[in-house]
Amino acid sequence: MFSVRLFAFFWILVLFLAQNSLNYIYYSKAPALVLVGVLFYALSEGRSFGAVLGLWAGFLMDLFGTGSPGFWMTSFAVTGYISGVISQKIFQDSFLTQILLPTVVLYSVTLAEIWVVRTQAGESAGLRLLAEAFSPWPLGATAFCSPWVFSRLRQWTPGSGRRHSSAPD
């Protein structure tokens, strides 16, 4: 259990570096690899670890990114926690879950980010935010890459997989 959690922090760092590298090559078209990693570990390790790993991933995004300080830490921690909570309700190995969950979460986080930026700037945040948050390239790239990332993390993390107990963490 400890080695899975230690490897999780390492793989989130690797995914962060890969995501940033892809973002330099394909500006605003890179998949959200870090988000997929947080979702994978939250689904397999539970809500507490999902929130902690989300804080780590968000810290990296906040430290090396732009925007509102603390936004990524908060959104990734909440994402990790909620994904850990629903981990007992969904089938992690489902191809549909691996495609839809990261895509829906990415859209939600993008929508929240635009809303926060608009609110801080004193602008109105109306219904057109829904269309503005829909970025086909990152959403499509995330949907395309997420099953591969799920399978690689399962393969490269020793002892990873669905928790065997139904007790809360």
Side-chain angles (χ1 to χ4, degrees), residues 92-102 143 146-147 150-151 154:
Q92 175 187 356
D93 296 329
S94 166
F95 195 63
L96 194 58
T97 300
Q98 294 175 9
I99 291 174
L100 283 181
L101 187 62
S146 59
F150 266 72
S151 67
R154 188 175 301 107

Side-chain angles (χ1 to χ4, degrees), residues 68-153:
S68 301
F71 173 79
W72 291 109
M73 284 181 72
T74 304
S75 62
F76 278 17
V78 169
T79 296
Y81 184 83
I82 291 172
S83 298
V85 168
I86 66 169
S87 67
Q88 298 296 323
K89 309 283 188 250
I90 62 173
F91 183 54
Q92 175 187 356
D93 296 329
S94 166
F95 195 63
L96 194 58
T97 300
Q98 294 175 9
I99 291 174
L100 283 181
L101 187 62
T103 307
V104 169
V105 171
L106 177 60
Y107 177 76
S108 303
V109 169
T110 304
L111 183 65
E113 180 187 22
I114 292 171
W115 181 79
V116 166
V117 168
R118 291 284 167 82
T119 305
Q120 286 180 345
E123 299 176 16
S124 66
L127 287 177
R128 65 171 202 223
L129 287 180
L130 296 173
E132 194 174 333
F134 182 77
S135 304
W137 280 104
L139 290 171
T142 300
F144 181 75
C145 292
S146 59
W148 184 83
V149 173
F150 266 72
S151 67
R152 289 310 116 206
L153 289 176

Side-chain angles (χ1 to χ4, degrees), residues 20-32:
N20 280 351
S21 298
L22 287 172
N23 205 27
Y24 282 123
I25 297 169
Y26 308 108
Y27 182 71
S28 295
K29 296 179 182 177

Side-chain angles (χ1 to χ4, degrees), residues 17-51:
L17 295 172
Q19 178 177 315
N20 280 351
S21 298
L22 287 172
N23 205 27
Y24 282 123
I25 297 169
Y26 308 108
Y27 182 71
S28 295
K29 296 179 182 177
L33 299 175
V34 174
L35 179 66
V36 175
V38 170
L39 289 172
F40 171 79
Y41 285 112
L43 289 172
S44 61
E45 293 297 314
R47 65 180 179 223
S48 298
F49 186 69

